[in-house]
Amino acid sequence: MSHKALVIDDEEDFRLIAEDILKSSGFEVFSSKDGAEGLVSAKKFKPDIILLDWKMPKMDGETFCRKLREDSSLKKTPIIMLTVNSKTEAELEALHFGVDDFIAKPYKKEEFLARVRAVLRQSRSV
Amino acid sequence: MKIGGKFILTTTLLLTGTMTILSYGILASVSAIQKQDLEKQARVVENSAQRVALDALLQKDELQLVSYINFLKAQYPALCYAKIAWNYPPMSQKIELGKLSKSSDIEERRFDIQSPANPNHNVIMQFYVDRSVLKKAMAKSKEKLAQVILRIWGFSIILGALLAWISAWVLTFPLKSLAQVASQVGSGHLGVQLEWNSRDEIGALVYSFNQMSEKLKELDTMKKNFVSSVTHELRSPLGAMISLAALVKDKLSAEETPASKQSLDYLERIEKNAKRLEQFINQLLDAAKIEQGKFTCSPRPADISPIVADIVNLFGPKAKENKIQLSNEIPENSFAMADPDRIRQVFSNLISNALKFTPSNGEIKIKAEKFREGDERFFEFSVQDNGKGMSEEDLKKLFQAFSQGNNGNAQGLSGSERGTGLGLYIVKSIVEAHGGKISVRSSPGQGSVFTFTLKEAKSAI
Ligand SMILES: Nc1ncnc2c1ncn2[C@@H]1O[C@H](COP(=O)(O)OP(=O)(O)OP(=O)(O)O)[C@@H](O)[C@H]1O
Ligand SMILES: [Mg+2]
């Protein structure tokens, strides 16, 4: 069975890129353009992993994280944060809000997939 | 000189001035009054002496006159000597009282008194007044007066200085607090306010200072938000371009047509340019953060050797292309206190500079040495090339933002090599944010060595 991934990003280009990479590696991909929509999709599709942009209108990454952790059926879903901030800042923020990993945009296909797989492996072993 | 000192000095000077003028005036008028008094006294004395002389003439009693003159002499020490010529036929007598002193300040007064009944009966009195005695008495009382004035003077100067000190303190206290708060604002604590409510000029000053501080804070937040939103707006579309180009490249490289080959070449060029722009933006943003004091590093134990190995790998093809020997001599397990991403920036800047400014067949060496200073152990990392080197003049401005010197502006450099001159500025800031020092040795044609220090990590985790 293929893994389900949810991509939440307000920018269509970045959704496309993530979708392309994930689909070509056999993921089933859903995407949403903001946190509120993403929350609805998450409840509906129960993804194995969420790729979340940090700066978004309506509901930003931080609020999304908090809301997701409140939902008992979803709170274990691993999250990877996608950010255009420099790495160190992103790292600090990510640790603070219980994000599992972060990837700085723009990313290389190989790095992206490696991180996604590592996080999935980790979440399954817990 | 401090405000308090100035206050005390001016008050003292003012008091001294006024007291000098005042005491001069008082002493002068006292002298005038004394002189008048003395003249009056003298006249009274002379009048009564004349009256007594007349009485004595009428009563033919010369003893009465003598005793009176003796009495006068006792009363007025200045009357040092008197001569009386008593002429009352048949009796005539000369009487001298006292002694004529040798003082040169003797004034003689002569009175001729005739009996109204008979002009032949007369008394001639000669008084010798010693002026120096009078002067001495006058001087003595003036001296006493001067002493009193001096005492008042001293007292008022002490009191004045005290008052000056108090008012200076009252005035400077808020100014001092204001200076303190102002220096806080100066060192970056924008928005600090000073509590001071007084309805005077200082109150107004503090009020406008507080407003200024508030305004600065607002402006600063605006600037910060601007930088971060610009960061996002610049990086985000560029990131999309770079990622999309990579994806298309992936798909194209599966095909093997001449057209796809050319497209691939163009895509690679697009990617290269986008990356160049991205690097420039990142450098600018780093520089902006440094300017704002917002540039942070979080040093932790990190092995430097894989970081350098990675960069050397990355630059390998380029070094090969230019026939430059790039050797990494950093031993394995070189654990230093370092923020890995930042130190990566440092090495890649230094190595890219060395590659840029070293002609073919050159050599670049990256080394590490350990040393101790007191209780602490350090690494000294160096990037050494045998390229163009730099002039004395370029060395001076080397670590300043946007300074490129002769080499950086050289015509021979390709577009992507031209750079911005921010590289070493950021490198220096990173090294210093780690508590290290960076230095350079170079001369034209002799190559360059850049060295920087980092603390050794106590235990490798
Ligand atoms: N290894 C070196 N040999 C000779 N000159 C050097 C070397 N390293 C730096 N320089 C001189 O110092 C200048 C500043 O270097 P810096 O790295 O700050 O800027 P840049 O390399 O010109 O641009 P950037 O790094 O921002 O792309 C260079 O332009 C060059 O003149
Ligand atoms: Mg440089």
Side-chain angles (χ1 to χ4, degrees), chain B residues 283 353 356 385 390 398 403-404 407-408 419-424 448:
Chain B
Q283 277 192 341
N353 280 349
K356 256 198 291 192
D385 66 57
M390 280 166 278
L398 192 61
S403 90
Q404 288 201 287
N407 297 341
T420 54
L422 281 172
L424 287 176
S448 318

Side-chain angles (χ1 to χ4, degrees), chain B residues 85-99:
Chain B
W86 181 263
N87 195 14
Y88 193 88
M91 187 173 77
S92 69
Q93 204 172 8
K94 276 199 176 125
I95 305 162
E96 284 178 60
L97 294 168
K99 256 199 265 164

Side-chain angles (χ1 to χ4, degrees), chain B residues 279 283 349-350 352-354 356-358 385 387-390 394 398 400 403-409 417-425 442 447-448 450:
Chain B
Q279 199 201 337
Q283 277 192 341
N349 243 299
L350 293 179
S352 89
N353 280 349
K356 256 198 291 192
F357 305 116
T358 303
D385 66 57
K388 291 180 182 169
M390 280 166 278
D394 285 351
L398 192 61
Q400 290 171 14
S403 90
Q404 288 201 287
N406 254 334
N407 297 341
N409 288 323
E417 281 178 329
R418 213 161 283 141
T420 54
L422 281 172
L424 287 176
Y425 173 65
S442 180
S448 318
F450 284 83

Side-chain angles (χ1 to χ4, degrees), chain B residues 99-387:
Chain B
K99 256 199 265 164
L100 193 58
S101 71
K102 284 188 185 95
S103 162
S104 56
D105 231 356
I106 304 283
E107 186 186 305
E108 192 201 318
R109 300 261 182 143
R110 193 189 155 101
F111 309 103
D112 219 331
I113 297 128
Q114 289 175 337
S115 160
N118 188 344
N120 285 338
H121 297 178
N122 65 348
V123 179
I124 295 166
M125 291 188 292
Q126 276 167 287
F127 288 173
Y128 293 83
V129 176
D130 189 345
R131 288 230 157 241
S132 68
V133 175
L134 286 176
K135 275 183 193 158
K136 231 183 248 165
M138 262 161 64
K140 210 169 193 175
S141 66
K142 267 202 248 174
E143 198 181 299
K144 263 190 192 148
L145 189 67
Q147 266 175 16
V148 172
I149 289 174
L150 210 66
R151 248 173 254 156
I152 293 174
W153 186 4
F155 178 72
S156 56
I157 281 179
I158 291 171
L159 195 75
L162 197 73
L163 280 174
W165 185 77
I166 290 171
S167 49
W169 189 81
V170 167
L171 187 72
T172 52
F173 178 73
L175 288 181
K176 266 187 211 156
S177 332
L178 194 63
Q180 255 173 19
V181 175
S183 83
Q184 278 183 4
V185 170
S187 60
H189 296 273
L190 304 180
V192 199
Q193 304 277 305
L194 180 63
E195 289 278 344
W196 188 269
N197 294 314
S198 62
R199 293 174 157 275
D200 52 9
E201 292 87 339
I202 290 180
L205 179 65
V206 170
Y207 176 75
S208 33
F209 174 84
N210 283 343
Q211 278 198 324
M212 182 192 77
S213 171
E214 194 56 45
K215 193 87 205 162
L216 275 177
K217 193 185 172 183
E218 276 170 27
L219 281 174
D220 192 56
T221 346
M222 241 165 77
K223 190 171 109 185
K224 256 181 257 160
N225 290 345
F226 178 75
V227 168
S228 80
S229 68
V230 165
T231 313
H232 192 264
E233 284 320 303
L234 287 175
R235 275 184 179 166
S236 190
L238 250 182
M241 278 160 67
I242 292 171
S243 294
L244 284 170
L247 285 180
V248 181
K249 241 171 66 183
D250 254 21
K251 292 182 205 303
L252 270 180
S253 48
E255 296 172 31
E256 281 284 343
T257 62
S260 74
K261 263 203 179 130
Q262 195 180 34
S263 305
L264 208 59
D265 178 42
Y266 289 172
L267 259 176
E268 262 161 15
R269 285 171 195 274
I270 290 176
E271 206 181 14
K272 223 168 148 183
N273 277 293
K275 279 191 174 153
R276 195 174 135 203
L277 189 56
E278 190 198 19
Q279 199 201 337
F280 173 58
I281 289 167
N282 286 342
Q283 277 192 341
L284 267 186
L285 290 167
D286 276 347
K289 274 190 211 149
I290 292 167
E291 295 285 296
Q292 284 178 26
K294 293 274 159 353
F295 191 77
T296 50
C297 292
S298 37
R300 48 193 179 256
D303 190 356
I304 304 299
S305 75
I307 297 178
V308 176
D310 200 32
I311 299 168
V312 167
N313 255 340
L314 219 65
F315 283 114
K318 197 175 173 204
K320 217 175 208 174
E321 195 184 306
N322 293 344
K323 297 197 187 77
I324 291 171
Q325 196 188 327
L326 182 58
S327 52
N328 174 12
E329 296 176 11
I330 295 186
E332 274 176 36
N333 294 320
S334 293
F335 281 88
M337 292 304 290
D339 186 327
D341 291 322
R342 296 292 192 208
I343 292 305
R344 173 183 296 274
Q345 255 175 296
V346 171
F347 276 108
S348 59
N349 243 299
L350 293 179
I351 295 171
S352 89
N353 280 349
L355 272 172
K356 256 198 291 192
F357 305 116
T358 303
S360 334
N361 302 318
E363 200 178 9
I364 298 168
K365 280 184 189 158
I366 303 138
K367 294 188 207 169
E369 258 169 56
K370 288 186 188 181
F371 70 97
R372 319 178 63 121
E373 212 177 83
D375 283 345
E376 290 200 277
R377 296 158 155 281
F378 293 88
F379 275 109
E380 187 182 81
F381 295 103
S382 61
V383 176
Q384 180 180 356
D385 66 57
N386 59 357

Side-chain angles (χ1 to χ4, degrees), chain A residues 11 13-14 16-17 20-21 55 84-89 91 105-110, chain B residues 228 232 235-237 239-240 242-244 247 250-251 275 278 289 298 300 339 341-342:
Chain A
E11 283 179 61
D13 291 347
F14 281 111
L16 263 176
I17 294 161
D20 187 299
I21 297 176
K55 284 209 175 84
V84 285
N85 280 347
S86 74
K87 238 177 165 186
T88 27
E89 282 166 42
E91 214 170 350
K105 293 186 214 174
Y107 38 76
K108 289 214 174 78
K109 188 175 170 178
E110 298 73 29
Chain B
S228 80
H232 192 264
R235 275 184 179 166
S236 190
I242 292 171
S243 294
L244 284 170
L247 285 180
D250 254 21
K251 292 182 205 303
K275 279 191 174 153
E278 190 198 19
K289 274 190 211 149
S298 37
R300 48 193 179 256
D339 186 327
D341 291 322
R342 296 292 192 208

Side-chain angles (χ1 to χ4, degrees), chain A:
Chain A
M1 195 195 79
S2 65
H3 286 296
K4 285 185 279 184
L6 174 61
V7 177
I8 307 173
D9 199 319
D10 60 317
E11 283 179 61
E12 196 187 358
D13 291 347
F14 281 111
R15 285 204 301 275
L16 263 176
I17 294 161
E19 274 176 36
D20 187 299
I21 297 176
L22 288 166
K23 273 183 186 156
S24 67
S25 320
F27 280 79
E28 191 182 342
V29 188
F30 309 95
S31 53
S32 308
K33 64 178 184 308
D34 61 59
E37 205 187 288
L39 216 54
V40 175
S41 309
K43 280 178 187 158
K44 200 161 140 197
F45 302 116
K46 305 273 181 244
D48 300 298
I49 188 164
I50 296 173
L51 295 132
L52 176 69
D53 181 31
W54 206 242
K55 284 209 175 84
M56 288 182 296
K58 282 193 191 162
M59 191 192 287
D60 64 1
E62 186 189 327
T63 329
F64 177 86
C65 275
R66 225 175 308 125
K67 289 251 161 87
L68 193 82
R69 300 296 184 223
E70 281 167 12
D71 188 309
S72 59
S73 65
L74 292 170
K75 69 179 171 205
K76 291 240 170 71
T77 316
I79 298 175
I80 294 183
M81 173 177 146
L82 303 173
T83 175
V84 285
N85 280 347
S86 74
K87 238 177 165 186
T88 27
E89 282 166 42
E91 214 170 350
L92 290 175
E93 266 183 290
L95 288 174
H96 202 265
F97 294 104
V99 166
D100 297 81
D101 201 358
F102 57 90
I103 303 177
K105 293 186 214 174
Y107 38 76
K108 289 214 174 78
K109 188 175 170 178
E110 298 73 29
E111 186 203 351
F112 182 85
L113 282 172
R115 284 187 188 270
V116 168
R117 291 207 174 102
V119 169
L120 274 174
R121 222 176 300 128
Q122 239 172 38
S123 78
R124 235 175 304 147
S125 67
V126 171

